[in-house]
């Protein structure tokens, strides 16, 4: 089955700067460090990479500064097959960064959003309208719905811009996916524009007041998410897999697939990107969750963020699949 559209991701692009030390410095103190690493990150960028590596025609909508970090992040996305025409280069703000201090198995993170908060809802809407017009090979003034396309947004960009972008994408016919990470709530009027909300268990607790730990609490939490106005809900539960509700209101549980866990960084982002790519094939939600589970199982077996996200061929080899949609490539 051929893909039926594009994946468009509006989200964050960060450069992660991480260093280890034996103890946290006190005020005014300098301590020695080691193991300094830089990693391309940002939930939006990670999800775009995952969708692209699963074979989806993927576009990134975001912003970086006119600096070395921004250049590196864009190059990494392009190397993964992500179209970056709608990534703005801003000279009035720096690229987003996450500064991470690792100490005794714990870490402290200082997040500077930088250019991730630079785009407005109308900036994203303009990009989406051009994408739809380009897909249809039509004049931009005569837009038809973007049937089959998927739009993904998270919580690391300006929340009002995110809400406006979801509403625009939904109106254009995209299947909209909202990943409220870090935990954040949309304005009430924006929730009906969300076709699928996909938090993890802690984000779900912030949004609903319910921590999904067993079948009963999972059903209650999923119901509370739907009550906000979203069309469907999936909660990711780490090593316990993911859950959603069936047509009859009963709980459907997708278990986490067996894998050697090396690093869980980007596992959730891989799940969402792979789910979106599967959606382009017209698969039902539970089968899209299965695609996400397979891709995530490969990601957690590797160290790092974007570099750990697998290609479609790698997932197929691990699970003995002859094409994720049942056809040989």
């Amino acid at each position: 089955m051929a893909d039926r559209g594009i994946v468009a991701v509006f989200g964050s692009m960060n450069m992660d700067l991480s260093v280890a030390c034996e103890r946290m410095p006190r005020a005014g103190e300098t301590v020695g460090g080691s193991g300094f690493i830089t990693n391309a990150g940002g939930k939006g960028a990670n999800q775009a990479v995952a969708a692209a590596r699963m074979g989806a025609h993927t576009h990134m909508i975001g912003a970086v500064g006119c600096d070395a970090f921004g250049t590196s992040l864009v190059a990494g996305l392009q190397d993964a097959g992500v179209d970056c025409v709608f990534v703005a280069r801003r000279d009035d703000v720096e690229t987003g960064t996450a500064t991470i201090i690792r100490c005794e198995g714990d870490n402290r993170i200082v997040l500077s959003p930088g250019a991730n908060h630079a785009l407005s809802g109308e900036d994203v809407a303009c990009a989406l309208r051009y994408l739809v017009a380009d897909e249809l090979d039509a004049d931009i003034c005569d837009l038809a719905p973007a049937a089959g396309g998927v739009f993904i947004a998270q919580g690391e960009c300006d929340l009002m811009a995110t809400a406006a972008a979801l509403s625009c994408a939904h109106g254009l016919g995209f299947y909209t996916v909202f990943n409220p990470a870090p935990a954040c709530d949309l304005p009430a009027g924006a929730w009906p524009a969300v076709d699928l909300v996909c938090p993890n268990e802690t984000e779900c607790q912030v949004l609903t007041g319910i921590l999904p730990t067993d079948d009963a609490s999972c059903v209650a939490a999923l119901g509370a998410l739907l009550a906000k106005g979203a069309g469907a809900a999936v909660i990711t539960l780490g090593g316990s897999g993911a859950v959603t509700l069936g047509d009859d209101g009963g709980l459907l549980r997708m278990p986490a697939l067996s894998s050697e866990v090396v690093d869980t960084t980007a596992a959730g982002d891989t799940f969402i990107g792979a789910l979106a790519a599967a959606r382009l094939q017209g698969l039902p939600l539970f089968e899209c969750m299965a695609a996400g589970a397979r891709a995530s199982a490969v990601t957690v077996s590797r160290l790092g963020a974007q570099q750990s996200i697998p290609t479609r061929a790698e997932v197929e080899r691990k699970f003995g699949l002859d094409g994720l949609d049942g056809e040989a490539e």
Side-chain angles (χ1 to χ4, degrees):
M1 185 184 296
D3 289 351
R4 304 185 304 170
I6 62 172
V7 172
V9 181
F10 169 50
S12 55
M13 301 172 63
N14 291 330
M15 184 61 77
D16 295 344
L17 313 173
S18 178
V19 65
C21 58
E22 292 186 359
R23 62 177 179 82
M24 292 293 176
R26 294 185 290 271
E29 181 185 22
T30 299
V31 300
S34 62
F36 177 77
I37 55 175
T38 61
N39 276 316
K43 297 191 70 63
N46 293 346
Q47 291 168 15
V49 168
R53 288 185 178 158
M54 288 298 108
H57 185 189
T58 305
H59 294 263
M60 184 72 199
I61 304 171
V64 294
C66 291
D67 49 40
F69 289 159
T71 299
S72 177
L73 291 175
V74 170
L77 285 176
Q78 291 172 329
D79 286 347
V82 178
D83 189 309
C84 293
V85 169
F86 296 105
V87 175
R89 300 297 300 266
R90 300 288 294 256
D91 60 8
D92 58 338
V93 66
E94 75 284 355
T95 297
T97 58
T99 303
I100 305 164
I101 301 175
R102 314 188 311 270
C103 179
E104 296 178 343
D106 199 1
N107 60 51
R108 298 185 185 183
I109 302 173
V110 179
L111 183 66
S112 175
N116 290 322
H117 283 192
L119 297 188
S120 68
E122 183 55 31
D123 292 329
V124 184
C126 286
L128 290 172
R129 294 187 191 111
Y130 274 104
L131 283 173
V132 171
D134 184 61
E135 281 292 298
L136 295 170
D137 194 25
D139 186 87
I140 193 168
C141 295
D142 298 312
L143 298 181
V150 179
F151 175 76
I152 308 174
Q154 321 79 35
E156 290 186 333
C157 293
D158 178 78
L159 195 57
M160 295 308 294
T162 299
L166 285 162
S167 295
C168 175
H170 187 77
L172 289 171
F174 284 92
Y175 182 84
T176 56
V177 180
F178 177 51
N179 172 219
C184 56
D185 204 349
L186 292 172
W191 276 104
V194 176
D195 292 308
L196 173 66
V197 59
C198 187
N200 65 20
E201 62 265 57
T202 55
E203 293 152 1
C204 175
Q205 185 179 27
V206 172
L207 281 171
T208 68
I210 303 168
L211 180 65
T213 55
D214 55 19
D215 286 1
S217 56
C218 284
V219 169
L222 288 162
L225 290 168
L226 296 179
K228 289 180 173 291
V234 170
I235 305 170
T236 57
L237 303 170
S240 297
V243 292
T244 191
L245 295 178
D247 293 338
D248 62 355
L251 188 69
L252 296 177
R253 186 180 291 273
M254 173 58 60
L257 302 178
S258 178
S259 182
E260 178 189 2
V261 178
V262 174
D263 183 1
T264 60
T265 303
D269 294 333
T270 300
F271 179 92
I272 290 172
L275 181 152
R279 173 74 190 186
L280 290 188
Q281 300 164 24
L283 298 176
L285 180 57
F286 194 67
E287 292 185 39
C288 294
M289 292 167 62
R294 288 191 292 263
S296 295
V298 180
T299 294
V300 300
S301 70
R302 301 170 172 178
L303 185 64
Q306 285 177 23
Q307 64 266 40
S308 72
I309 299 172
T311 64
R312 177 178 177 136
E314 289 172 326
V315 173
E316 291 173 354
R317 284 196 298 269
K318 178 176 176 63
F319 291 100
L321 300 172
D322 184 21
L324 292 181
D325 56 6
E327 295 177 10
E329 298 253 65

